[in-house]
Each structure stands twice: as C-alpha cells, then as structure tokens.
Amino acid sequence: MRNNFNVRNFAIVAVICTLTLLFINSCKQEQYTQSTTDDVNITGYLDKYPDQFSLMTQIIKRSGTAGYLGAYGKFTLFTPTNEAITAWLKSNNKTGVDQLTVEEAKNMVKYHLLPDTVATNRFSDGKLAQITLYGQYLQTGVKNEAGVSSYIVNKLAKITQSNVRLGNGIVHVMDHVLIPASLSLAKSIEANPRYTYFTQAFKETGFYDSLNVDGATVIDTTRRFQTVILESDSALKAAGFATYASFKARYSKSGNPKLHSDSLWLYMAYHISTGPTYVPDIISTPAIYTLAPKEVITTKFAGQSVLLNEDEFAGVIEPGVEINRTYSDVTASNGVQHEVKKPFTIKVRVQAPVYWDVADQPELRANPKWRGAAAATIGLYPNNVPLLSGVIYNDLAKVTQGSNYDYVTVPNASRKYNSNDMLNMSVGSSTARLQWFELRTPMLVKGKYKVWICYAANTASVAFQVGFDIGRQNPQTLLNTVDFRQDLSSSGVTSSTAAATDADAKMLTNGFKRYMATTADTQGTLKGLNQINTTGWNLSVGRLAGVIDVQTTDRHWLRLTLLAGGGNTSTTWLDMIHFIPVDAEQGWPRFSTQGVVFQKP
C-alpha cells in the first residue's frame, strides 16, 4: 500500500500532534536526558557504566555482535538496564546470561537495534519508520502517569534516559526488555477465542496459509508484512450470525470459498491489506488498499474515534465502523491486526455523475462567511497554515507571498458562479505564483468519466494540463488543454449563433458546454441568469479535460498544472468540476447563482 504524505495527511497529523502536545504540556513532563559523550562507540558506553549495562554487554558479547557495535556506523540501540534484563531472564527460567543460546542472545540484540540513528524527535505515534535488524517494527508513543509524560516502546518499556549520542549512534535506556512477536498473524488470530469465525473463514478461503508465514522468508516483499482487520465473534453474533455456518451461508454463494469470485473470499480479502499499517498510519492515510481487487477502505479520524468507510456519497453521509482501539495495534511476526466494533463489507455502488462545487469544502462550510448574504472573502492560507485539507499546493512558500488564494462569494455583473462562489487561485509563470495545485475529489465509483472543468474565463489567466492521481496508483494525464483564457466562443459558437437550436450540440462536439443556466432555462418558476447571446453569455465555461478511468471506488486527486500564460493576480477562477459517466448526458443539468439545479427540459 502506498503511503504518500500529502497536505491533507499533514493537516490531520498536525491536529493530532497539537492535541497531544497540549495534553502533555498541561502535565509535568519528564526531562529526558540528552547528552553527548566522548565514547567512540556503543559498546564503549555500555562498558563505562557496568552498574547499569553489564548484562547487556554480556549479551552483546555472547551474541557475537560486539565487534559490529564497536565499529563506526549509524545505529540506535534500545538497551534495557541490568534490572530489566534480570527480570526478563527470570521470566524465562534463566539465572544468568550464560544460559542463553548464542541464537537467543543474537535475536535479543537484533530486536533492540535499528540500522540508523533515531532520536526521540523522530519518534512517531505508532511504528518507527526504520525496521529492527530482527525484522520487526517497534512501536513508540507517549504515556502519562501521575502528571509525568514518558516515551513508551511497544506499549511496555518506558524510556528512562534518551538520546545518548555516541560516535556510532544513539542509545536509549529502557526499564523492560522488548519481546518480539513469535506468532504469525494466522496463529495469533487462531489463538484468540474472540475470533473463531474469522479463523475458520481464513482457513476455508485459503488466507490462513498466506497469513501463516515467516515474513523474513517471503520472496514477494509486498506480502512480507500484512494488516488484518478483524470482527469478533460477539460483533458478528450481534449482527445476526448466531453460528459460523450462518455467516458462511450469507457470504459464500459459489459453494467454494477458495474461488476468488466467491463472496466469502472477497469478504475476507477486503479485511486484509499489504504492509504493516498501525492505527496512526490509518489516521494519516485517506484509504487502505485491500486484497479485494480494486476495493479500498476509506478512513476518517473524528474526535478520538478512527472510522472506516464513513463516507459522504451523493450528498448522503454513510455511517462507518469504529476501530476498537483496545484490541488493535496487535503485532504479529508478519504484520499487525486490528478489531472493529461492527462488521463491514464491500460497498456495492452504481456509477453516477458527480457535479462538484469546488468551493464546497468542509473547512469553508464551517465558516459563517460561506455563501453568506453579503460579499465575502476567506483566505485559503490564514496565519501561514493551509486552510483546506483537500487542497495541495506545489509550493506553500508561494502561497504565503500574497493574499490571492481565496474563497470568494461576490456577485458579478458578467460572470456567474454556481451558488455565487468560487475559488480564486493565483497561478502563473512568475516565480511568486503556483505552477500547480491539486484538489481531492468527492467519492467516485469505479468506471470511466468525462471530466469537465467549469471556470470563469479571463484573458489574463493561464492554460492548464489536467492530471488524475499523479504520483499515485494508476496516474492519468488528460488529453485536452484547459485554457482559462478561452471563453465559449472558442467552441465555434459566436454571439450571433449562441441562441441557435444547435448551439449547445456544437459546443459539446468541440469539448465545451454551458454549465450555468441561461435566461431561457426554467426550473419551476425560476429562470437562469446567464444571458444567451449578450454581454457575458460566453464567460461561464465548461471545458472537457478528457476521460479518466477510475479503478477504485474512493476519493482521488485532480491536479491542474500550468502549461502557458503569465497569469495576473486573481485571475484563475475555478467554480465546479463535473465527473460524468462517459455514456451519460453531458450537457445537463445546469446550475445557478441561487444554488438551484436546472434539469434538462
């Protein structure tokens, strides 16, 4: 699963981090030691303090890695104290390090060692980016006890001294020995009585075998680690499945659950994804790509709840399912497992047109100025922070240089906008302006769509190339140039022929359309405001960018990249984007400044 870090993700993580810091700063914080020593290597540091680390030194020597850790390089060692190692040995019925086999000592060192220097400022709430030499990830987080905040590793070991910088790396001191996961995902799930339904279903569909592997031996590196989202027996029983047989009967329609077309196989595949995805990873990514072909799970962070498949589709909120944090982030030897509070399955949807007003963004909708009665402007980069999580700019520094990135709701005598608002983007060849920006689309059902960019024409604007999911899975570049300097007369229809009965058909043939209702259009007792062939008739433009092939039902990204034009301040006026199935009506409906949708007569 790809995990590109974009502005939307940054905004979510920034909110989480801010809340975490506010909570931590409200308490008495532990003052972590950050020191630099004259020791040239990690082993030298451990030798220097035998009262704390003599047992770790013995383990390192027994493992045969003393020379390795004594060499120059970049390492991070999470070292337990003597007290922690003594407790660990006792729990394993051993009285001394000499009772460890060489392999046991070697594995212990490898699980506590990263092949990079990782200070606490690089800790994340979740798994560390670097994998241990043992081949499993470590989890880090912050825990508050009695007003004191401490870094915690694997939800167990408290870091008591951190960031000891040495000639060949960093040492963090802990009060517990870290224990690697010994069970595979399949064995871990099978061993838990909460998941007898899923255990049986995994066996019958064949996924048990693929989840019961040693990650280090898997040739396909994309399957070395996997993530499983589980539903407990109690959750399935609450949903009406009194027995496993009833659950299987509901979903297995072919009689052979191993068939990839069988709905039980698809159900289980939809609960598995590649890569080790911990809860913080889920929060920071817009979707989880599952083993069910071209099917994704969407993610949402609401308050303190992590929700899956809670989407807005066709203007309706579809409730999702919440991750049960108590039974999640459970590490196995080849991945991680989570639990949800209710069952969920693949959503079956029919492809439908999406008429998207780009100014309808959640952050704008929450502002009193949004679509207010009076003319208003909302800056898209207030206080040097991006306002919209659904917009990515190619260079934020350029956005801060001016105030020409705005939401605007201003009545205009000649140019008409749907619901009387639009986004104003300052794009141009000047080094002070953007060269591209991206917008995150509404939910699009799998299928092919014609993409129409709806804008207000201005001769001082620029021309764009439109791209779909650029830099992501299945990127596509659309064929037509969308030139915001062109008005509807570029279609070959002139002021004198704009009222002709064949004018709209001619526009569509040449990749243009009227998307705003004209004075000849009616919806009930209302009439459109756009003149048919007088001043301003041609300035509200729908331009066909091309066709996209949406492979996964999800929200995607549409990029507008500068192709030509200097671009003056405040001249890129974007109103709507239409995603219309290729075989559907392209010229209707039309829209109005009142927010009324005008259907085809």
Side-chain angles (χ1 to χ4, degrees):
M1 181 186 75
R2 256 189 55 264
N3 197 14
N4 283 0
F5 196 81
N6 52 39
V7 168
R8 179 261 191 189
N9 296 339
F10 176 84
I12 294 174
V13 173
V15 171
I16 297 168
C17 291
T18 300
L19 292 174
T20 301
L21 288 172
L22 287 173
F23 174 74
I24 293 172
N25 288 334
S26 68
C27 306
K28 176 186 175 183
Q29 292 195 48
E30 180 175 7
Q31 298 301 310
Y32 296 106
T33 304
Q34 182 165 340
S35 56
T36 302
T37 80
D38 295 328
D39 297 313
V40 295
N41 55 48
I42 290 172
T43 55
Y45 174 75
L46 299 180
D47 288 338
K48 188 174 180 179
Y49 301 99
D51 56 326
Q52 292 187 71
F53 309 121
S54 61
L55 294 181
M56 190 64 184
T57 297
Q58 292 177 39
I59 292 174
I60 289 172
K61 289 179 178 178
R62 189 165 185 79
S63 70
T65 59
Y68 182 75
L69 286 173
Y72 283 96
K74 293 183 177 180
F75 307 107
T76 298
L77 179 66
F78 292 83
T79 183
T81 61
N82 286 344
E83 183 180 358
I85 292 176
T86 299
W88 171 65
L89 291 170
K90 184 178 180 180
S91 69
N92 287 277
N93 298 317
K94 300 181 188 297
T95 58
V97 172
D98 59 328
Q99 295 184 16
L100 293 173
T101 66
V102 172
E103 192 65 21
E104 286 172 336
K106 186 178 294 184
N107 286 338
M108 187 274 193
V109 174
K110 287 163 64 177
Y111 190 58
H112 289 74
L113 190 63
L114 302 178
D116 193 9
T117 51
V118 182
T120 53
N121 63 2
R122 293 176 61 188
F123 285 9
S124 58
D125 182 16
K127 75 176 187 297
L128 293 177
Q130 296 78 9
I131 195 169
T132 67
L133 292 183
Y134 184 81
Q136 292 183 17
Y137 287 93
L138 300 181
Q139 297 180 64
T140 56
V142 175
K143 184 177 182 179
N144 185 277
E145 291 180 324
V148 177
S149 299
S150 305
Y151 288 111
I152 301 294
V153 184
N154 285 7
K155 301 182 180 180
L156 171 70
K158 179 167 69 174
I159 291 181
T160 57
Q161 185 180 12
S162 65
N163 302 329
V164 181
R165 296 183 177 273
L166 305 163
N168 64 342
I170 291 177
V171 165
H172 303 294
V173 182
M174 302 182 305
D175 66 353
H176 280 78
V177 173
L178 302 176
I179 310 298
S182 59
L183 296 179
S184 67
L185 281 165
K187 292 293 187 182
S188 175
I189 294 166
E190 184 178 28
N192 194 325
R194 295 179 64 83
Y195 308 122
T196 64
Y197 282 31
F198 258 60
T199 297
Q200 187 63 26
F202 279 142
K203 288 180 177 180
E204 294 193 25
T205 54
F207 284 114
Y208 184 92
D209 293 335
S210 63
L211 294 173
N212 187 31
V213 295
D214 179 356
T217 65
V218 176
I219 297 175
D220 182 358
T221 56
T222 64
R223 297 291 181 91
R224 184 163 294 172
F225 297 100
Q226 299 187 69
T227 299
V228 178
I229 300 175
L230 300 163
E231 294 156 10
S232 67
D233 293 356
S234 59
L236 289 167
K237 288 176 181 178
F241 302 108
T243 63
Y244 171 75
S246 63
F247 173 69
K248 179 182 177 181
R250 168 65 178 82
Y251 288 108
S252 182
K253 300 302 182 183
S254 71
N256 183 2
K258 285 187 169 63
L259 289 177
H260 291 197
S261 58
D262 184 80
S263 50
L264 181 60
W265 187 95
L266 289 169
Y267 186 98
M268 303 311 291
Y270 192 58
H271 288 71
I272 307 172
S273 64
T274 58
T277 306
Y278 287 81
V279 167
D281 302 318
I282 294 174
I283 291 171
S284 63
T285 189
I288 301 170
Y289 288 79
T290 73
L291 297 190
K294 300 181 181 179
E295 296 292 347
V296 301
I297 299 170
T298 60
T299 65
K300 182 178 181 181
F301 187 60
Q304 294 301 311
S305 299
V306 182
L307 305 175
L308 306 181
N309 282 352
E310 175 142 314
D311 306 313
E312 181 175 342
F313 183 69
V316 178
I317 298 293
E318 299 176 342
V321 297
E322 183 181 353
I323 286 182
N324 188 341
R325 301 287 286 269
T326 302
Y327 297 99
S328 295
D329 278 344
V330 177
T331 298
S333 62
N334 62 332
V336 60
Q337 65 191 56
H338 308 286
E339 182 183 300
V340 286
K341 295 183 177 180
K342 293 181 180 180
F344 70 99
T345 188
I346 298 171
K347 292 187 175 182
V348 179
R349 294 191 177 99
V350 178
Q351 189 183 10
V354 176
Y355 306 101
W356 181 34
D357 187 331
V358 298
D360 189 358
Q361 303 277 347
E363 296 90 348
L364 293 173
R365 200 182 304 141
N367 193 304
K369 293 182 179 179
W370 185 71
R371 294 183 180 173
T377 297
I378 303 172
L380 300 185
Y381 201 80
N383 302 316
N384 295 329
V385 176
L387 175 67
L388 304 181
S389 60
V391 179
I392 299 175
Y393 309 98
N394 77 288
D395 189 344
L396 285 175
K398 294 178 181 178
V399 181
T400 63
Q401 292 181 14
S403 59
N404 303 307
Y405 304 89
D406 308 298
Y407 162 84
V408 181
T409 172
V410 179
N412 191 293
S414 56
R415 294 173 174 86
K416 308 301 178 184
Y417 306 102
N418 177 47
S419 298
N420 212 28
D421 59 4
M422 55 87 171
L423 294 184
N424 168 38
M425 311 292 280
S426 181
V427 180
S429 57
S430 165
T431 57
R433 299 199 181 96
L434 292 175
Q435 270 65 63
W436 59 260
F437 62 92
E438 288 184 322
L439 301 166
R440 191 170 183 219
T441 73
M443 183 74 68
L444 299 175
V445 176
K446 290 182 295 185
K448 292 185 177 180
Y449 297 82
K450 289 185 177 180
V451 179
W452 295 85
I453 308 297
C454 301
Y455 62 90
N458 188 312
T459 55
S461 193
V462 297
F464 290 100
Q465 179 183 71
V466 180
F468 180 73
D469 279 344
I470 301 302
R472 303 172 178 87
Q473 288 191 0
N474 193 33
Q476 300 166 50
T477 300
L478 281 66
L479 294 178
N480 296 336
T481 297
V482 178
D483 193 337
F484 280 41
R485 298 169 297 186
Q486 290 182 323
D487 59 40
L488 287 175
S489 64
S490 297
S491 68
V493 174
T494 65
S495 294
S496 60
T497 61
T501 55
D502 65 345
D504 288 320
K506 186 173 183 179
M507 289 184 198
L508 287 170
T509 299
N510 292 304
F512 290 83
K513 71 174 180 177
R514 287 189 261 233
Y515 77 96
M516 291 298 290
T518 72
T519 51
D521 300 326
T522 59
Q523 185 66 33
T525 59
L526 294 176
K527 285 189 175 183
L529 299 180
N530 265 27
Q531 300 293 324
I532 298 177
N533 60 351
T534 58
T535 302
W537 76 272
N538 56 338
L539 298 180
S540 300
V541 183
R543 178 69 170 108
L544 178 64
V547 175
I548 57 173
D549 185 0
V550 178
Q551 296 289 310
T552 55
T553 299
D554 192 11
R555 298 181 66 187
H556 295 267
W557 289 92
L558 203 72
R559 178 182 293 188
L560 276 67
T561 302
L562 173 72
L563 282 181
N568 290 330
T569 302
S570 305
T571 55
T572 300
W573 298 328
L574 180 61
D575 187 13
M576 300 186 76
I577 300 176
H578 297 174
F579 302 91
I580 306 176
V582 291
D583 296 328
E585 167 68 51
Q586 301 293 316
W588 294 84
R590 291 175 180 166
F591 302 85
S592 70
T593 57
Q594 309 102 311
V596 175
V597 179
F598 284 65
Q599 301 295 339
K600 185 176 182 179

